Amino acid sequence: MKNAEIRSLSESEILERIASEQSNLSKLNFAHAISPIENPNKIKESRKLIARLKTTLSAKQLAK
């Protein structure tokens, strides 16, 4: 998901995406702990996406 797409979302949509990405990240971490996943870079990408979403959310909240 690109930054322009993230900025176009509303605050409630961003919160929903953060929750879903965090659950996805925990599933990836759990799966990787049991047996190595095929592409471990997905974990890194997921963490960075969550950080981007949180950054955009805080910027929108400060702009109010």
Side-chain angles (χ1 to χ4, degrees):
M1 183 172 235
K2 297 193 177 198
N3 285 336
E5 295 172 351
I6 293 172
R7 279 189 241 114
S8 68
L9 297 174
S10 69
E11 286 185 36
S12 60
E13 291 172 329
I14 292 174
L15 286 170
E16 290 172 15
R17 285 299 299 257
I18 289 172
S20 67
E21 287 297 325
Q22 284 179 333
S23 67
N24 185 29
L25 178 62
S26 65
K27 289 177 187 175
L28 281 173
N29 281 326
F30 186 69
H32 188 62
I34 292 173
S35 66
I37 58 176
E38 199 171 300
N39 188 2
N41 287 335
K42 287 183 181 180
I43 295 172
K44 184 178 179 181
E45 291 169 6
S46 183
R47 276 200 323 260
K48 287 187 176 191
L49 177 58
I50 292 170
R52 269 192 235 110
L53 287 166
K54 286 184 175 181
T55 301
T56 305
L57 179 64
S58 67
K60 284 184 180 246
Q61 289 173 343
L62 287 174
K64 281 188 171 182

